[in-house]
Amino acid sequence: MNLKRGSATMGSTKTVRFNKEDEELVNAYLKATGKTFSQLVHENIVNKIEDEIDIKAYQEFLKTDDGTKIPFEEVAKEFNVEL
């Protein structure tokens, strides 16, 4: 399997089985958007994985969050950002 993002190298082939109703829905969506099935699956799988990674990182952060809040203006000043 090729995990390198953005690579032009083709990876493995997977099979997805749909019932008739879901197949019609997917095909209608592909026709309406002009996407290929591979584009649709790839985009959605990558997005789902990235979302899950973000959620896990946020959950880990919450375990150590002491509730301290810093006003935006203070952060902007620290990084020399004019408001």
Side-chain angles (χ1 to χ4, degrees), residues 33-60:
T33 62
K35 292 182 180 183
T36 66
F37 181 74
S38 291
Q39 287 172 318
L40 174 66
V41 171
H42 182 265
E43 289 171 3
N44 284 282
I45 288 174
V46 169
N47 286 337
K48 177 69 172 170
I49 292 169
E50 289 174 345
D51 288 349
E52 287 188 22
I53 290 169
D54 291 344
I55 289 168
K56 285 182 182 180
Y58 180 66
Q59 289 170 337
E60 288 300 313

